[in-house]
Amino acid sequence: MARRLRCNGTGSGGGGCPAVHEDLDSGEVIVHGLPLTDPADIAQLQHLGEGEVPIVVPRELLVDFGPKEVTRVPRIIDLDAFGRLFDNFEHTAWRLETRRRFASDEATDTYAQFAAGQPVEWDYDDEWSRTMRSQTSQGKRVERVRLVDDPATPGQLYLLDNAKRNCAVGEDIRNLSRAEAERLRLPAEDFWVFDSRFVALLNFDDDDNLLDVELITEPVEVNRYAQVRDAAWHFAVRYDEFAAGLPE
């Protein structure tokens, strides 16, 4: 079975450059770069085993993108603390939304209206809408990319309808097909990036209920999520244009 590898980063902007990858299951680190080939250099190496290949990478590559701990201990915050992040961010809040359904959506009156084929009566003055209007009126940006399957799930179609409300109160929501996300090797994680300084990784149970949130502040990890953000945002399509392209 193939490894599940994640690219932690590279020290330059081009392909074929030294990079650090991490095995998501074993925690092993894979580093690639130019091989060390001079026999005089190789002769100085100690403990070089049969089949091992010495490579040369910039020092800053390991400093910037190598894991800093043997075992990473997650920092978990509760849902109240998570909610306060939307009151306190300074510049940008950006989300990748990867799930096929959210249990909390299906418990709402608006979802019942949607499921019954009725026009949804969105509330443009609920707490979320007031927060978004307040924050974006100050020039702050709130953006999301939502993945959509083929065919789209009921929960995804509900959120496509919901996007018109969210955008009306200040958000910018775009969509991306899951096939395109897989081509881009985007993670299946659901997360927010705040001010490019920290990440809120959302943890769900098997019934699609939000349990808690992991707050990630390590620069190398935040940088990885920022790279995901940039790739997803580049290829995503505005929600109404995306919806217009779905089959009837």
Side-chain angles (χ1 to χ4, degrees):
M1 180 182 296
R3 293 175 181 260
R4 292 194 308 129
L5 299 181
R6 178 184 72 197
C7 181
N8 281 1
T10 179
S12 62
C17 299
V20 173
H21 291 73
E22 191 169 346
D23 187 312
L24 296 178
D25 297 313
S26 71
E28 292 175 306
V29 176
I30 296 92
V31 181
H32 67 74
L34 295 175
L36 184 70
T37 57
D38 190 310
D41 293 335
I42 294 176
Q44 301 177 59
L45 299 179
Q46 301 182 38
H47 313 296
L48 184 66
E50 183 178 355
E52 294 181 341
V53 179
I55 64 170
V56 181
V57 298
R59 183 182 185 88
E60 58 267 23
L61 178 73
L62 300 182
V63 172
D64 292 342
F65 300 111
K68 304 301 186 291
E69 300 171 322
V70 175
T71 302
R72 186 172 176 276
V73 179
R75 176 185 173 188
I76 301 298
I77 61 174
D78 61 27
L79 299 186
D80 289 337
F82 172 57
R84 289 193 291 273
L85 298 179
F86 296 95
D87 297 321
N88 298 324
F89 75 94
E90 297 180 359
H91 309 292
T92 58
W94 188 94
R95 182 177 186 177
L96 180 65
E97 216 167 282
T98 63
R99 302 186 66 80
R100 293 175 170 85
R101 67 181 288 266
F102 295 91
S104 58
D105 286 344
E106 297 176 10
T108 63
D109 292 340
T110 51
Y111 191 91
Q113 294 165 7
F114 176 82
Q118 302 170 357
V120 179
E121 298 178 3
W122 297 109
D123 185 354
Y124 289 78
D125 198 39
D126 62 359
E127 182 178 359
W128 179 259
S129 297
R130 291 193 299 271
T131 298
M132 291 300 99
R133 277 195 294 266
S134 172
Q135 296 290 51
T136 57
S137 68
Q138 300 174 55
K140 302 178 186 182
R141 301 199 319 271
V142 181
E143 302 163 339
R144 309 189 198 212
V145 170
R146 286 171 168 160
L147 301 192
V148 179
D149 288 273
D150 183 15
T153 68
Q156 292 165 348
L157 293 173
Y158 169 78
L159 289 175
L160 272 172
D161 193 285
N162 161 267
K164 63 188 177 187
R165 188 282 300 257
N166 286 36
C167 289
V169 299
E171 290 190 61
D172 187 348
I173 296 183
R174 304 183 186 184
N175 290 89
L176 189 67
S177 72
R178 191 172 300 276
E180 180 72 350
E182 291 174 350
R183 184 188 71 79
L184 296 171
R185 296 189 175 183
L186 300 185
E189 297 160 303
D190 197 307
F191 63 88
W192 284 91
V193 181
F194 292 93
D195 296 328
S196 296
R197 291 194 305 110
F198 56 91
V199 172
L201 179 64
L202 279 58
N203 297 318
F204 294 82
D205 65 16
D206 292 339
D207 294 320
D208 301 301
N209 296 292
L210 179 60
L211 291 177
D212 55 34
V213 175
E214 179 182 350
L215 192 65
I216 299 172
T217 59
E218 299 93 332
V220 63
E221 284 292 292
V222 174
N223 178 70
R224 181 177 69 82
Y225 285 103
Q227 292 180 40
V228 171
R229 175 196 62 198
D230 291 348
W233 193 249
H234 178 76
F235 288 97
V237 176
R238 183 177 158 87
Y239 80 92
D240 47 1
E241 180 182 345
F242 188 92
L246 292 178
E248 296 292 337

